[in-house]
Coordinates of all heavy atoms in Angstrom, one line a residue:
M12 N 91.3 104.9 112.6 CA 91.2 104.7 111.2 C 90.0 103.6 111.0 O 90.1 102.5 111.4 CB 92.5 104.1 110.6 CG 92.3 103.7 109.1 SD 93.9 103.1 108.4 CE 94.8 104.7 108.4
Q13 N 89.0 104.1 110.1 CA 87.8 103.2 110.0 C 88.1 102.0 109.2 O 87.5 101.0 109.5 CB 86.7 104.1 109.3 CG 86.2 105.2 110.1 CD 85.5 104.7 111.4 OE1 84.8 103.7 111.4 NE2 85.7 105.3 112.5
G14 N 88.9 102.1 108.2 CA 89.0 101.0 107.3 C 89.7 99.8 108.0 O 89.3 98.6 107.7
K15 N 90.6 100.1 109.0 CA 91.2 99.0 109.8 C 90.1 98.3 110.5 O 90.2 97.0 110.8 CB 92.3 99.6 110.6 CG 93.1 98.6 111.3 CD 94.3 99.0 112.1 CE 95.1 97.9 112.6 NZ 96.2 98.5 113.4
M16 N 89.1 99.0 111.1 CA 88.1 98.3 111.9 C 87.3 97.4 111.0 O 86.8 96.4 111.4 CB 87.1 99.5 112.4 CG 87.9 100.4 113.5 SD 88.8 99.4 114.7 CE 87.5 98.7 115.6
I17 N 87.1 97.8 109.8 CA 86.3 97.0 108.8 C 87.1 95.7 108.5 O 86.5 94.6 108.5 CB 85.9 97.8 107.5 CG1 85.0 99.0 107.9 CG2 85.3 96.9 106.4 CD1 84.9 100.0 106.9
W18 N 88.4 95.9 108.3 CA 89.3 94.7 108.1 C 89.1 93.8 109.3 O 89.0 92.6 109.1 CB 90.7 95.2 108.0 CG 91.7 94.1 107.8 CD1 92.4 93.5 108.9 CD2 92.3 93.6 106.7 NE1 93.3 92.6 108.4 CE2 93.2 92.6 107.0 CE3 91.9 93.7 105.2 CZ2 93.9 91.8 106.1 CZ3 92.6 92.9 104.4 CH2 93.5 92.0 104.7
Q19 N 89.1 94.3 110.5 CA 89.0 93.4 111.7 C 87.5 92.9 111.8 O 87.4 91.6 112.1 CB 89.4 94.2 112.9 CG 91.0 94.4 112.9 CD 91.3 95.4 114.1 OE1 90.6 95.9 114.8 NE2 92.6 95.5 114.2
K20 N 86.6 93.7 111.7 CA 85.2 93.3 111.8 C 84.9 92.2 110.8 O 84.2 91.2 111.2 CB 84.2 94.5 111.7 CG 82.9 94.4 112.4 CD 82.2 95.6 112.4 CE 81.7 95.9 111.0 NZ 81.1 97.3 111.0
K21 N 85.3 92.2 109.7 CA 84.9 91.4 108.6 C 86.0 90.0 108.5 O 85.8 89.2 107.7 CB 84.9 92.0 107.2 CG 84.0 93.1 107.0 CD 82.5 92.7 107.2 CE 81.6 94.0 107.2 NZ 80.2 93.6 107.4
N22 N 86.9 90.1 109.5 CA 87.9 89.1 109.6 C 88.7 88.8 108.4 O 89.0 87.6 108.1 CB 87.1 87.8 110.1 CG 87.6 87.3 111.5 OD1 88.6 87.7 111.8 ND2 86.6 86.8 112.2
C23 N 89.0 89.7 107.6 CA 89.8 89.6 106.4 C 91.3 88.9 106.8 O 91.7 88.0 106.1 CB 90.2 90.9 105.7 SG 88.7 91.9 105.4
G24 N 91.7 89.3 108.1 CA 92.9 88.8 108.5 C 92.9 87.4 108.9 O 94.0 86.8 109.1
A25 N 91.7 86.7 109.0 CA 91.8 85.3 109.3 C 92.3 84.5 108.1 O 92.8 83.4 108.2 CB 90.3 84.8 109.4
C26 N 92.2 85.1 106.9 CA 92.7 84.4 105.6 C 93.8 85.2 105.0 O 94.4 84.5 104.0 CB 91.5 84.3 104.7 SG 90.2 83.2 105.3
H27 N 93.9 86.4 105.2 CA 94.9 87.2 104.5 C 96.0 87.8 105.5 O 95.6 88.1 106.6 CB 94.3 88.4 103.8 CG 93.4 88.0 102.7 ND1 93.9 87.7 101.4 CD2 92.0 87.9 102.5 CE1 92.9 87.3 100.6 NE2 91.8 87.4 101.3
Q28 N 97.2 88.0 105.0 CA 98.2 88.7 105.8 C 98.3 90.2 105.4 O 98.1 90.5 104.2 CB 99.5 88.1 105.7 CG 99.6 86.6 105.8 CD 99.5 85.9 104.4 OE1 100.5 86.1 103.6 NE2 98.5 85.1 104.1
I29 N 98.8 91.0 106.3 CA 99.2 92.4 106.1 C 100.5 92.3 106.8 O 100.7 92.0 107.9 CB 98.4 93.3 106.8 CG1 96.9 93.4 106.2 CG2 99.0 94.7 106.8 CD1 96.8 94.2 104.9
Y30 N 101.5 92.8 106.0 CA 103.0 92.8 106.6 C 103.4 91.3 106.9 O 104.2 91.3 107.9 CB 103.2 93.8 107.7 CG 102.8 95.2 107.5 CD1 102.0 95.9 108.5 CD2 103.1 95.9 106.4 CE1 101.6 97.1 108.3 CE2 102.8 97.3 106.2 CZ 102.0 97.8 107.3 OH 101.6 99.1 107.1
G31 N 102.8 90.4 106.3 CA 103.2 89.0 106.6 C 102.5 88.4 107.8 O 102.6 87.3 108.2
L32 N 101.6 89.1 108.4 CA 100.9 88.8 109.6 C 99.4 88.4 109.3 O 98.7 89.2 108.7 CB 100.9 89.7 110.7 CG 102.3 89.9 111.4 CD1 102.2 91.0 112.4 CD2 102.9 88.7 111.9
G33 N 99.0 87.2 109.6 CA 97.5 86.9 109.4 C 97.4 85.3 108.9 O 98.4 84.7 109.0
G34 N 96.2 85.1 108.5 CA 96.0 83.8 108.0 C 96.5 83.5 106.7 O 97.0 84.4 105.9
F35 N 96.8 82.2 106.3 CA 97.5 81.8 105.1 C 96.6 81.2 104.0 O 97.1 80.6 103.0 CB 98.7 81.1 105.5 CG 99.9 81.9 106.0 CD1 99.8 82.2 107.3 CD2 100.7 82.5 105.1 CE1 100.9 83.0 107.8 CE2 101.7 83.3 105.6 CZ 101.8 83.6 106.9
L36 N 95.3 81.3 104.2 CA 94.4 80.7 103.1 C 94.5 81.5 101.8 O 94.6 81.0 100.8 CB 93.0 80.5 103.7 CG 92.0 79.8 102.8 CD1 92.4 78.3 102.7 CD2 90.6 79.7 103.5
G37 N 94.5 82.7 102.1 CA 94.5 83.7 100.9 C 95.9 84.3 100.9 O 96.6 84.3 101.8
P38 N 96.1 85.2 99.8 CA 97.4 85.8 99.7 C 97.6 87.0 100.5 O 96.6 87.6 101.0 CB 97.5 86.3 98.2 CG 96.0 86.3 97.8 CD 95.3 85.3 98.7
D39 N 98.8 87.4 100.8 CA 99.2 88.7 101.5 C 98.7 89.9 100.7 O 98.8 89.9 99.4 CB 100.7 88.8 101.7 CG 101.1 89.9 102.5 OD1 100.9 91.0 102.2 OD2 101.8 89.6 103.5
L40 N 98.1 90.8 101.3 CA 97.5 92.0 100.7 C 98.2 93.3 100.9 O 97.6 94.3 100.5 CB 96.0 92.1 101.0 CG 95.1 90.9 100.7 CD1 93.6 91.1 101.1 CD2 95.1 90.5 99.2
T41 N 99.4 93.3 101.5 CA 100.0 94.5 101.8 C 100.1 95.4 100.7 O 100.0 96.6 100.7 CB 101.4 94.2 102.4 OG1 101.4 93.3 103.4 CG2 102.1 95.4 103.0
N42 N 100.6 94.8 99.5 CA 100.9 95.7 98.4 C 99.9 95.5 97.2 O 100.2 95.8 96.0 CB 102.4 95.4 98.0 CG 103.3 95.8 98.9 OD1 104.1 94.9 99.4 ND2 103.2 97.0 99.4
I43 N 98.6 95.0 97.6 CA 97.7 94.7 96.5 C 97.2 96.1 95.8 O 97.0 96.1 94.7 CB 96.4 94.0 97.1 CG1 95.5 93.6 96.1 CG2 95.8 94.7 98.2 CD1 95.4 92.2 95.6
Y44 N 97.2 97.2 96.6 CA 96.7 98.3 96.1 C 97.5 98.9 94.9 O 97.0 99.3 94.0 CB 96.7 99.5 97.2 CG 95.7 100.5 96.9 CD1 94.4 100.6 97.4 CD2 96.1 101.7 96.1 CE1 93.5 101.7 97.1 CE2 95.2 102.7 95.9 CZ 94.0 102.7 96.3 OH 93.1 103.7 96.0
S45 N 98.8 98.7 95.0 CA 99.7 99.2 93.9 C 100.2 98.2 92.9 O 100.9 98.4 92.0 CB 100.9 99.9 94.5 OG 101.7 99.0 95.1
A46 N 99.8 96.9 93.2 CA 100.2 95.9 92.3 C 99.7 96.0 90.9 O 98.6 96.5 90.6 CB 99.7 94.4 92.8
V47 N 100.6 95.7 89.9 CA 100.3 95.9 88.5 C 99.2 95.1 88.1 O 99.1 93.9 88.4 CB 101.5 95.5 87.7 CG1 101.3 95.7 86.2 CG2 102.7 96.5 88.0
G48 N 98.2 95.6 87.5 CA 97.0 94.8 87.1 C 96.0 94.5 88.2 O 95.0 94.0 88.0
K49 N 96.2 95.1 89.5 CA 95.3 95.0 90.6 C 94.8 96.3 90.9 O 94.3 97.1 90.1 CB 96.0 94.1 91.6 CG 96.3 92.8 91.2 CD 96.8 91.8 92.2 CE 97.0 90.3 91.7 NZ 97.7 89.5 92.5
G50 N 94.9 96.7 92.3 CA 94.4 98.0 92.6 C 93.0 98.1 93.1 O 92.3 97.0 93.3
P51 N 92.5 99.3 93.3 CA 91.1 99.4 94.1 C 90.0 98.7 93.4 O 89.2 98.1 94.1 CB 91.0 100.9 94.1 CG 92.1 101.5 93.2 CD 93.1 100.5 93.2
M52 N 89.8 98.8 92.1 CA 88.7 98.2 91.4 C 88.8 96.7 91.6 O 87.8 96.0 91.7 CB 88.6 98.5 89.9 CG 88.3 100.1 89.7 SD 87.0 100.7 90.8 CE 85.6 100.0 90.2
Y53 N 90.0 96.2 91.4 CA 90.2 94.8 91.5 C 89.8 94.2 92.9 O 89.1 93.3 93.1 CB 91.6 94.4 91.2 CG 92.2 93.0 91.2 CD1 92.2 92.3 90.2 CD2 92.7 92.6 92.5 CE1 92.6 90.9 90.2 CE2 93.1 91.2 92.5 CZ 93.1 90.5 91.5 OH 93.5 89.1 91.5
I54 N 90.3 95.0 93.9 CA 90.0 94.6 95.3 C 88.5 94.7 95.5 O 87.8 93.7 96.1 CB 90.6 95.6 96.3 CG1 92.1 95.6 96.1 CG2 90.3 95.4 97.8 CD1 92.9 96.8 96.8
K55 N 87.8 95.7 95.0 CA 86.4 95.9 95.2 C 85.6 94.7 94.6 O 84.7 94.1 95.1 CB 86.0 97.2 94.5 CG 84.5 97.6 94.9 CD 84.4 99.0 94.4 CE 82.8 99.4 94.5 NZ 82.6 100.7 94.1
A56 N 86.1 94.2 93.4 CA 85.5 93.2 92.7 C 85.6 91.9 93.5 O 84.5 91.2 93.7 CB 86.2 93.0 91.3
F57 N 86.8 91.6 94.2 CA 86.9 90.3 94.9 C 86.1 90.4 96.2 O 85.4 89.4 96.5 CB 88.4 90.2 95.4 CG 89.1 89.3 94.5 CD1 89.8 89.7 93.4 CD2 89.2 87.9 94.7 CE1 90.5 88.9 92.5 CE2 89.9 87.1 94.0 CZ 90.5 87.5 92.9
V58 N 86.0 91.6 96.9 CA 85.2 91.7 98.0 C 83.7 91.6 97.9 O 83.0 90.9 98.6 CB 85.7 93.0 98.8 CG1 84.6 93.2 100.0 CG2 87.0 93.0 99.2
T59 N 83.3 92.1 96.7 CA 81.9 92.1 96.4 C 81.4 90.7 95.9 O 80.4 90.2 96.3 CB 81.6 93.2 95.3 OG1 82.2 94.4 95.8 CG2 80.0 93.4 95.2
A60 N 82.2 90.1 95.0 CA 81.7 88.9 94.4 C 82.2 87.6 95.2 O 81.6 86.6 95.0 CB 82.3 89.0 92.9
G61 N 83.4 87.7 95.8 CA 83.9 86.5 96.4 C 84.5 85.6 95.4 O 84.4 85.9 94.2
T62 N 84.9 84.4 95.8 CA 85.2 83.3 94.8 C 84.8 82.1 95.5 O 84.3 82.1 96.6 CB 86.8 83.3 94.7 OG1 87.4 82.6 95.8 CG2 87.5 84.7 94.6
P63 N 85.1 80.9 94.8 CA 84.7 79.6 95.4 C 85.3 79.4 96.8 O 84.8 78.7 97.6 CB 85.2 78.6 94.4 CG 85.1 79.3 93.1 CD 85.6 80.7 93.4
V64 N 86.4 80.1 97.1 CA 87.1 79.9 98.4 C 87.1 81.1 99.3 O 87.6 81.0 100.4 CB 88.5 79.4 98.2 CG1 88.6 77.8 97.9 CG2 89.3 80.2 97.2
M65 N 86.6 82.1 98.8 CA 86.5 83.4 99.5 C 85.0 83.9 99.6 O 84.4 84.0 98.6 CB 87.4 84.5 99.0 CG 87.1 85.8 99.6 SD 88.4 87.1 99.2 CE 87.3 88.6 99.5
P66 N 84.6 84.1 100.8 CA 83.2 84.6 100.9 C 82.9 86.0 100.3 O 84.0 86.8 100.3 CB 82.9 84.7 102.4 CG 84.2 84.7 103.1 CD 85.2 84.1 102.2
S67 N 81.8 86.3 99.8 CA 81.5 87.7 99.4 C 81.0 88.5 100.5 O 80.5 88.0 101.5 CB 80.5 87.6 98.2 OG 79.3 87.1 98.7
F68 N 81.3 89.8 100.4 CA 81.0 90.8 101.6 C 80.1 91.9 101.0 O 80.3 92.4 99.9 CB 82.3 91.4 102.3 CG 83.1 90.3 102.9 CD1 84.0 89.7 102.2 CD2 83.1 90.0 104.3 CE1 84.9 88.7 102.8 CE2 83.8 89.2 104.9 CZ 84.7 88.5 104.2
H69 N 79.0 92.1 101.8 CA 78.1 93.1 101.3 C 78.4 94.4 102.1 O 77.8 94.7 103.1 CB 76.7 92.7 101.4 CG 76.5 91.4 100.6 ND1 76.4 91.4 99.3 CD2 76.4 90.1 101.1 CE1 76.2 90.1 99.0 NE2 76.3 89.3 100.0
L70 N 79.4 95.2 101.6 CA 79.8 96.4 102.3 C 79.0 97.6 101.7 O 78.7 97.6 100.5 CB 81.3 96.7 102.1 CG 82.3 95.7 102.6 CD1 83.6 96.2 102.5 CD2 82.0 95.4 104.2
Q71 N 78.7 98.6 102.6 CA 78.1 99.8 102.0 C 79.2 100.6 101.4 O 80.4 100.3 101.6 CB 77.6 100.7 103.3 CG 76.2 100.1 103.8 CD 76.0 100.5 105.2 OE1 76.6 101.5 105.6 NE2 75.0 99.9 105.8
E72 N 78.8 101.4 100.5 CA 79.7 102.2 99.6 C 80.8 102.8 100.5 O 82.0 102.9 100.2 CB 78.9 103.3 98.8 CG 79.8 103.9 97.7 CD 80.1 102.9 96.6 OE1 79.4 101.9 96.4 OE2 81.3 103.0 96.1
Q73 N 80.3 103.5 101.6 CA 81.2 104.2 102.6 C 82.2 103.3 103.2 O 83.4 103.6 103.3 CB 80.4 104.9 103.6 CG 81.1 105.6 104.7 CD 81.9 106.8 104.2 OE1 81.5 107.3 103.1 NE2 82.8 107.2 105.0
E74 N 81.8 102.0 103.6 CA 82.6 101.0 104.1 C 83.7 100.5 103.2 O 84.9 100.4 103.5 CB 81.9 99.8 104.7 CG 80.9 100.0 105.8 CD 80.2 98.9 106.3 OE1 79.6 98.1 105.3 OE2 80.1 98.6 107.4
M75 N 83.2 100.4 101.9 CA 84.2 99.9 100.8 C 85.3 101.1 100.7 O 86.4 100.8 100.6 CB 83.4 99.7 99.6 CG 84.3 99.2 98.4 SD 85.0 97.7 98.8 CE 83.6 96.5 98.4
T76 N 84.8 102.3 100.6 CA 85.8 103.4 100.5 C 86.8 103.4 101.6 O 88.1 103.5 101.4 CB 85.0 104.8 100.5 OG1 84.1 104.7 99.5 CG2 86.0 106.0 100.1
E77 N 86.3 103.2 102.8 CA 87.3 103.3 103.9 C 88.2 102.1 104.0 O 89.4 102.2 104.3 CB 86.4 103.3 105.2 CG 85.8 104.6 105.5 CD 84.8 104.7 106.5 OE1 84.4 103.6 107.1 OE2 84.2 105.7 106.8
L78 N 87.7 100.9 103.6 CA 88.6 99.6 103.5 C 89.7 100.0 102.5 O 90.9 99.6 102.7 CB 87.6 98.5 103.1 CG 88.5 97.1 103.0 CD1 89.0 96.7 104.2 CD2 87.5 96.1 102.3
L79 N 89.3 100.5 101.2 CA 90.3 100.8 100.3 C 91.3 101.8 100.7 O 92.4 101.7 100.4 CB 89.7 101.3 98.9 CG 88.7 100.2 98.3 CD1 88.0 100.8 97.1 CD2 89.7 99.0 97.7
Q80 N 90.9 102.8 101.5 CA 91.8 103.8 102.0 C 92.8 103.1 103.1 O 93.9 103.5 102.9 CB 91.0 104.9 102.8 CG 90.5 105.9 101.9 CD 89.5 106.9 102.7 OE1 89.2 106.6 103.8 NE2 89.0 107.9 102.0
Y81 N 92.3 102.2 103.8 CA 93.2 101.4 104.6 C 94.3 100.7 103.9 O 95.4 100.7 104.2 CB 92.4 100.6 105.5 CG 93.1 99.5 106.3 CD1 94.1 99.9 107.3 CD2 93.1 98.1 106.1 CE1 94.8 99.0 108.0 CE2 93.8 97.3 106.8 CZ 94.7 97.6 107.7 OH 95.6 96.8 108.5
L82 N 93.8 100.0 102.8 CA 94.7 99.2 102.1 C 95.7 100.1 101.2 O 96.8 99.6 101.2 CB 94.0 98.3 101.1 CG 93.3 97.1 101.8 CD1 92.4 96.3 100.8 CD2 94.3 96.0 102.4
R83 N 95.3 101.3 100.9 CA 96.2 102.3 100.2 C 97.2 102.7 101.3 O 98.5 102.7 100.9 CB 95.4 103.4 99.7 CG 96.4 104.3 98.9 CD 95.5 105.5 98.4 NE 95.1 106.2 99.4 CZ 94.3 107.4 99.3 NH1 94.0 107.9 98.1 NH2 93.9 108.1 100.3
H84 N 96.7 102.9 102.4 CA 97.7 103.4 103.4 C 98.7 102.3 103.9 O 100.0 102.5 103.9 CB 96.8 103.7 104.7 CG 97.7 104.0 105.9 ND1 98.3 105.3 106.2 CD2 98.0 103.2 107.0 CE1 99.0 105.1 107.3 NE2 98.8 103.9 107.8
V85 N 98.3 101.1 104.0 CA 99.2 99.9 104.3 C 100.2 99.8 103.2 O 101.3 99.6 103.4 CB 98.4 98.6 104.3 CG1 99.2 97.4 104.3 CG2 97.6 98.7 105.8
D86 N 99.7 99.8 101.9 CA 100.5 99.7 100.8 C 101.7 100.8 100.7 O 102.9 100.4 100.4 CB 99.7 99.8 99.6 CG 100.5 99.6 98.2 OD1 101.3 98.7 98.2 OD2 100.4 100.4 97.3
A87 N 101.4 102.0 101.1 CA 102.3 103.1 101.1 C 103.4 103.0 102.2 O 104.4 103.5 102.2 CB 101.6 104.4 101.1
S88 N 102.9 102.2 103.2 CA 103.8 102.2 104.4 C 104.8 101.0 104.6 O 105.5 100.9 105.6 CB 103.0 102.3 105.7 OG 102.1 101.2 105.8
G89 N 104.7 100.0 103.7 CA 105.5 98.9 103.8 C 105.5 97.9 102.7 O 104.7 98.1 101.8
K90 N 106.3 96.9 102.7 CA 106.4 95.8 101.7 C 106.1 94.5 102.4 O 106.5 94.3 103.5 CB 107.9 95.8 101.2 CG 108.2 97.1 100.3 CD 108.0 96.8 98.9 CE 108.3 98.0 98.1 NZ 107.2 99.0 98.2
S91 N 105.5 93.6 101.6 CA 105.0 92.4 102.2 C 106.0 91.3 102.2 O 105.9 90.4 103.2 CB 103.8 92.0 101.4 OG 104.1 91.6 100.0
D92 N 106.9 91.3 101.3 CA 107.7 90.1 101.2 C 109.2 90.3 101.7 O 110.0 90.8 100.9 CB 107.8 89.7 99.8 CG 108.3 88.2 99.6 OD1 108.8 87.8 100.5 OD2 108.3 87.9 98.4
P93 N 109.5 89.8 102.8 CA 110.8 90.0 103.4 C 111.9 89.4 102.5 O 113.1 89.7 102.5 CB 110.7 89.2 104.8 CG 109.3 89.1 105.1 CD 108.6 89.1 103.8
K94 N 111.6 88.4 101.8 CA 112.5 87.7 100.9 C 113.1 88.6 99.8 O 114.2 88.4 99.2 CB 111.9 86.5 100.2 CG 111.7 85.3 101.2 CD 111.2 84.1 100.4 CE 109.9 84.3 99.8 NZ 108.7 83.7 100.4
Q95 N 112.3 89.7 99.5 CA 112.8 90.6 98.5 C 113.6 91.8 99.1 O 114.0 92.7 98.4 CB 111.6 91.3 97.8 CG 110.6 90.1 97.4 CD 110.2 90.3 95.9 OE1 110.1 91.4 95.4 NE2 110.1 89.1 95.3
F96 N 113.7 91.9 100.4 CA 114.5 92.9 101.0 C 116.0 92.7 100.7 O 116.5 91.6 100.7 CB 114.4 92.9 102.5 CG 112.9 93.3 103.1 CD1 112.6 93.1 104.4 CD2 111.9 93.7 102.1 CE1 111.4 93.5 104.9 CE2 110.8 94.1 102.7 CZ 110.4 94.0 104.0
R97 N 116.6 93.9 100.5 CA 118.1 93.8 100.3 C 118.7 94.1 101.7 O 118.4 95.2 102.4 CB 118.6 94.9 99.3 CG 118.4 94.4 97.8 CD 119.0 95.3 96.9 NE 118.7 96.8 97.0 CZ 119.5 97.7 97.4 NH1 120.8 97.5 97.7 NH2 119.0 98.9 97.4
V98 N 119.7 93.2 102.2 CA 120.2 93.4 103.4 C 121.6 93.9 103.3 O 122.4 93.4 102.5 CB 120.3 91.9 104.2 CG1 120.9 92.1 105.6 CG2 118.9 91.3 104.3
N99 N 121.9 94.8 104.1 CA 123.2 95.5 104.1 C 124.2 94.6 104.8 O 123.8 93.7 105.5 CB 123.1 96.9 104.7 CG 122.3 97.8 104.0 OD1 122.2 97.9 102.8 ND2 121.6 98.7 104.8
Y100 N 125.5 94.9 104.7 CA 126.5 94.1 105.2 C 126.4 94.0 106.8 O 126.9 93.0 107.4 CB 127.9 94.6 104.8 CG 128.3 95.9 105.4 CD1 129.0 95.9 106.6 CD2 128.0 97.1 104.8 CE1 129.4 97.1 107.2 CE2 128.3 98.3 105.4 CZ 129.0 98.3 106.6 OH 129.3 99.5 107.1
D101 N 125.8 95.1 107.3 CA 125.8 95.1 108.7 C 124.4 94.6 109.3 O 124.1 94.8 110.4 CB 126.0 96.5 109.4 CG 124.9 97.5 108.8 OD1 124.0 97.1 107.9 OD2 124.8 98.7 109.1
G102 N 123.7 94.0 108.4 CA 122.4 93.3 108.8 C 121.2 94.2 108.8 O 120.1 93.8 109.0
T103 N 121.4 95.5 108.5 CA 120.2 96.4 108.4 C 119.6 96.1 107.0 O 120.2 95.6 106.1 CB 120.6 97.9 108.6 OG1 121.6 98.2 107.6 CG2 121.1 98.2 110.0
I104 N 118.4 96.7 106.7 CA 117.7 96.5 105.6 C 117.7 97.7 104.7 O 117.3 98.9 105.2 CB 116.2 96.0 105.8 CG1 116.3 94.7 106.4 CG2 115.4 96.1 104.5 CD1 114.9 94.2 107.0
A105 N 118.1 97.7 103.4 CA 118.3 98.7 102.5 C 116.8 99.0 102.0 O 116.0 98.2 101.9 CB 119.2 98.4 101.3
N106 N 116.7 100.3 101.6 CA 115.2 100.7 101.1 C 115.1 100.3 99.6 O 115.9 100.6 98.8 CB 115.1 102.2 101.1 CG 114.9 102.6 102.5 OD1 114.2 102.0 103.3 ND2 115.4 103.8 102.9
Ligands
HEC5 C1 87.6 82.5 104.4 C2 88.9 83.1 104.0 C3 88.9 84.5 103.4 C4 88.3 85.7 104.0 C5 87.6 85.8 105.3 C6 88.7 86.8 103.0 N1 89.4 86.3 102.0 FE1 90.0 87.3 100.4 N2 90.7 85.6 99.5 C7 90.7 84.4 100.1 C8 91.3 83.4 99.1 C9 91.5 81.9 99.4 C10 91.7 84.2 98.0 C11 92.4 83.7 96.6 C12 91.3 83.7 95.7 C13 91.1 82.3 94.9 O1 92.0 81.7 94.9 O2 89.9 82.2 94.6 C14 91.4 85.5 98.2 C15 91.5 86.7 97.3 C16 91.4 88.0 97.7 C17 91.8 89.0 96.9 C18 92.7 89.0 95.5 C19 94.0 88.8 95.9 C20 95.1 88.8 94.7 O3 96.2 89.0 94.9 O4 94.6 88.5 93.6 C21 91.5 90.2 97.6 C22 91.7 91.7 97.1 C23 90.8 89.8 98.8 N3 90.8 88.4 98.9 C24 90.4 90.8 99.7 C25 89.8 90.4 100.9 C26 89.2 91.3 101.8 C27 89.3 92.8 101.7 C28 88.6 90.6 102.8 C29 87.8 91.1 104.1 C30 86.7 91.9 103.7 C31 88.8 89.2 102.6 N4 89.5 89.1 101.4 C32 88.4 88.0 103.2 C33 90.1 84.0 101.3 C34 89.5 84.9 102.1

């Protein structure tokens, strides 16, 4: 998967978590793709422009598309916040 390589090459994980794993300077991005008021254009804006505490990245259109595909895939496959999990009486996690 190309998008994951971009995530690693650009070191997004130094400051951001996926599934709760990664650096803690920035927020967890596991569910950013489907978050209300966020999503692909929002992600693109942050990556392209940066903020006072996040560097900007100059990705090619193709790289950006792949990075967004990776984040969409991650979003569809898990939840970021274990505190929101419902735990069954036997200790397993409910969906
Ligand atoms: C040096 C640390 C650092 C790196 C590296 C970094 N970020 Fe960030 N990022 C941040 C911080 C800190 C914020 C919070 C923004 C703020 O408060 O200004 C942020 C915010 C964001 C947001 C908005 C999150 C939200 O919930 O509003 C997105 C999306 C994002 N980063 C994506 C990325 C991606 C993709 C990469 C890799 C290409 C990346 N970041 C690399 C530090 C970083």
